[in-house]
Amino acid sequence: MCVIDFSLKTSAEFTPQVDRLIQLALEEDIGRGDVTTQALIPPEKKGAAQVRAKERLVAAGLPVAARVFMKLDREVHFLPMVREGQEVEAGAVLAQLRGPVASILTGERVALNFLMRLSGIATYTRQVVAAVQDFPVAVVDTRKTTPGWRVLEKYAVKVGGAKNHRFGLFDGVLIKNNHLTAVGSITEAVRRARQQTHQLLKIEVEVADLKGLAEALAAGADIIMLDNMADADLLEAVKLTQGRALLEASGGMTLERLPQVAATGVNCISMGALTHSAPAVDIHLLLVS
């Protein structure tokens, strides 16, 4: 829901779940062993490396990359050189590493995969937030995330400056079109939701037109998702609502369209592209000694 920020504040909050994801990634990549590194690099050889940005980006995921090396070999020391959420230019050193060269090389790709994906989301999110900075509107993410990565991808959205929508099916009522088809009407769906859930849960209803908006308002919905509406209809929806519910614009959102949608006066804009379409950024690791 756009009024409830379920944002993840620190990397420590997602450690147990991320540990499982990191372990899976390491098992996937290393398998029975890093045959190249084992053949070429003596286990006692020590060295240093740097993680560098190859393009302008917003850094996100450095604690996750550090944890990759911690799980692989505690003798590898990972020192972040920038803050989470810091915008850096191409060539910037994001982190320095010291320790067994073999372990650094074996963990390189897994650590970079996390960094490139999460920094990509944070970078794109920062661009989206900048596009509506002159309007009193919140940009929120959706559940359109990579399976298993949701906690990390929503974390990266927060690092980029946007807010988190509900995390899953368990932390907010959102009555969508298929629920309405099954129940029969917005009025009945809201009634059942009020009856079956506790009073602290906000109730959000998805509508596709102004008629649905009117019914949702009459039913007492707390938040109304205006799905795939034209800008003119969004403007009319704001006028009709008169502050009786919070309005969330959703569907068909692009970076170019965002200022026009924000100008209609909706309270928040949900954008699945923050997580499902953000391109990874280019980051590499180089041995320096």
Side-chain angles (χ1 to χ4, degrees), residues 124-144:
Y124 181 61
T125 300
R126 185 69 55 85
Q127 295 170 3
V128 167
V129 171
V132 296
Q133 62 183 353
D134 295 330
F135 302 94
V137 66
V139 177
V140 300
D141 55 22
T142 71
R143 287 167 44 240
K144 295 177 181 177

Side-chain angles (χ1 to χ4, degrees), residues 192-212:
R192 291 187 193 180
R194 289 273 184 225
Q195 186 177 63
Q196 297 296 326
T197 61
H198 63 75
Q199 73 278 9
L200 296 180
L201 280 179
K202 299 291 185 180
I203 295 177
E204 181 169 8
V205 179
E206 176 187 84
V207 303
D209 52 35
L210 296 177
K211 180 181 178 181

Side-chain angles (χ1 to χ4, degrees), residues 3-116:
V3 293
I4 305 173
D5 187 6
F6 295 109
S7 301
L8 303 156
K9 303 298 187 258
T10 68
S11 60
E13 291 184 33
F14 56 63
T15 294
Q17 186 170 341
V18 171
D19 274 351
R20 295 195 296 273
L21 189 58
I22 290 171
Q23 188 61 42
L24 179 63
L26 289 171
E27 291 172 3
E28 173 185 67
D29 202 36
I30 299 171
R32 293 186 298 275
D34 179 355
V35 294
T36 306
T37 299
Q38 290 172 353
L40 301 179
I41 311 297
E44 68 274 8
K45 182 177 176 61
K46 299 294 196 290
Q50 293 181 341
V51 176
R52 298 178 186 171
K54 297 183 73 174
E55 62 181 286
R56 189 175 187 178
L57 57 84
V58 174
L62 288 164
V64 184
R67 197 153 185 87
V68 168
F69 290 106
M70 183 184 299
K71 288 182 72 67
L72 188 63
D73 186 344
R74 288 184 175 272
E75 290 188 26
V76 176
H77 300 282
F78 185 101
L79 178 64
M81 302 303 292
V82 300
R83 303 182 310 277
E84 290 282 274
Q86 183 174 337
E87 190 169 327
V88 301
E89 300 295 332
V93 176
L94 305 180
Q96 295 183 345
L97 295 87
R98 286 192 173 277
V101 171
S103 296
I104 292 173
L105 296 180
T106 297
E108 172 185 357
R109 177 43 52 200
V110 170
L112 290 179
N113 283 349
F114 281 112
L115 272 178
M116 292 167 65

Side-chain angles (χ1 to χ4, degrees), residues 144 173-180 186 190 203-209 212-213 216 221 223-229 248 250-251 270:
K144 295 177 181 177
V173 176
L174 175 46
I175 302 169
K176 296 179 70 66
N177 62 322
N178 283 329
H179 295 111
L180 295 174
I186 291 173
V190 172
I203 295 177
E204 181 169 8
V205 179
E206 176 187 84
V207 303
D209 52 35
L213 170 68
I223 310 163
I224 301 173
M225 178 188 291
L226 308 172
D227 189 47
N228 283 299
M229 285 192 183
E248 173 185 340
S250 180
S270 57

